[in-house]
Amino acid sequence: MKNKILEISHLTKNYQDLDGETMAVSDVSFDVYEKEFLAVVGPSGCGKSTILSILSGLEDKSGGTIRFNKENIILGYMLQKDSLFPWRTILDNCLLGLEITNSLTEESRAYVISLLKTYGLSEFMDKYPSSLSGGMRQRAALIRTLAIKPDILLLDEALSALDYQTRLALSDDLYHIIKNEGKTAVMITHDLAEAISMADRIIVLTKRPSTVKKIYTVTMKDKSSPIHNRKCPEFSEYYDKIWRDLDVHL
């Protein structure tokens, strides 16, 4: 059994406005294990991104506990858009997090360059973001996130801004990079196919105010890359079950 790196217990989040109080998250509990790829899905507006914002410290929780089972935990947050600065080269963009945290050294710079070489961006290190395709820009954004050596990667709809073909290809890239680097990832997505093809486990949330409806451990006899996993017979079984759990009415 892998070690727990994160424990979330009875998490709640309320928002206040002139009309009163709105509960976005009512009672969410789940654990995250080291080197696990965890996906969180749920109906639109159920509070998926809110949970990620709370984990990252961007928002305060209203109740419950969040426990990181490692001292000085480092979190990496990857958003829908790459947010690369157009006036900085790809290498300089990837070094940005290290600069902000005052941890840019010759060693850390060499680590980032090795990531760019390993994942096919070495010839673009001195180019600017406008020279890269959408998929390559998002890969650079992932390397920028990995540069700080995060213990947990928080992925908030990280592929949703891409066209379908690029999204499929990058799902393979993203999956292999995260697994090769031995990272723990928590991914928020509205795309069930993406979640099933990439995740080790899937947390299914209810409508707002959200609670955990079900947790799936994704097992496939011939599990491999995300693109390959979409062809496995178990894929459609998981899709049907989770779609019914979401209780979406069109």
Side-chain angles (χ1 to χ4, degrees), residues 204-218:
V204 183
L205 300 180
T206 65
K207 297 176 182 178
R208 189 182 69 191
S210 60
T211 61
V212 175
K213 185 168 189 177
K214 202 158 187 179
I215 299 177
Y216 288 90
T217 298
V218 181

Side-chain angles (χ1 to χ4, degrees), residues 3-6 32-38 68-77 111 145-155 178 181-186:
N3 296 324
K4 291 180 185 178
I5 192 170
L6 169 61
V32 182
Y33 295 88
E34 288 184 344
K35 299 184 180 181
E36 177 180 40
F37 200 125
L38 184 78
F68 293 103
N69 296 326
K70 181 178 180 180
E71 292 185 4
N72 302 315
I73 195 88
I74 300 175
L75 302 176
Y77 204 147
Y111 173 64
T145 307
L146 291 173
I148 62 172
K149 296 187 176 181
D151 299 294
I152 303 177
L153 277 165
L154 303 176
L155 310 173
I178 289 172
E181 298 300 319
K183 298 300 179 182
T184 304
V186 178

Side-chain angles (χ1 to χ4, degrees), residues 36-54:
E36 177 180 40
F37 200 125
L38 184 78
V40 181
V41 301
S44 179
C46 74
K48 299 185 294 296
S49 293
T50 297
I51 292 170
L52 220 59
S53 294
I54 293 171

Side-chain angles (χ1 to χ4, degrees), residues 53-155:
S53 294
I54 293 171
L55 293 180
S56 68
L58 294 176
E59 291 191 45
D60 295 326
K61 59 184 173 62
S62 300
T65 60
I66 297 173
R67 180 184 175 190
F68 293 103
N69 296 326
K70 181 178 180 180
E71 292 185 4
N72 302 315
I73 195 88
I74 300 175
L75 302 176
Y77 204 147
M78 189 171 169
L79 302 170
Q80 296 179 25
K81 295 187 178 180
D82 57 72
S83 300
L84 299 176
F85 290 132
W87 60 87
R88 294 178 68 112
T89 65
I90 296 305
L91 175 58
D92 287 341
N93 267 290
C94 291
L95 295 174
L96 186 61
L98 295 169
E99 294 175 10
I100 292 172
T101 56
N102 295 315
S103 52
L104 179 58
T105 62
E106 287 301 318
E107 183 181 359
S108 61
R109 180 186 175 90
Y111 173 64
V112 171
I113 291 174
S114 72
L115 288 174
L116 289 165
K117 289 180 178 178
T118 300
Y119 300 113
L121 290 176
S122 59
E123 63 183 287
F124 297 96
M125 284 193 296
D126 298 322
K127 303 289 186 181
Y128 292 91
S130 59
S131 302
L132 274 62
S133 66
M136 294 170 74
R137 288 170 62 110
Q138 201 68 345
R139 203 186 314 163
L142 175 60
I143 292 172
R144 178 186 59 197
T145 307
L146 291 173
I148 62 172
K149 296 187 176 181
D151 299 294
I152 303 177
L153 277 165
L154 303 176
L155 310 173

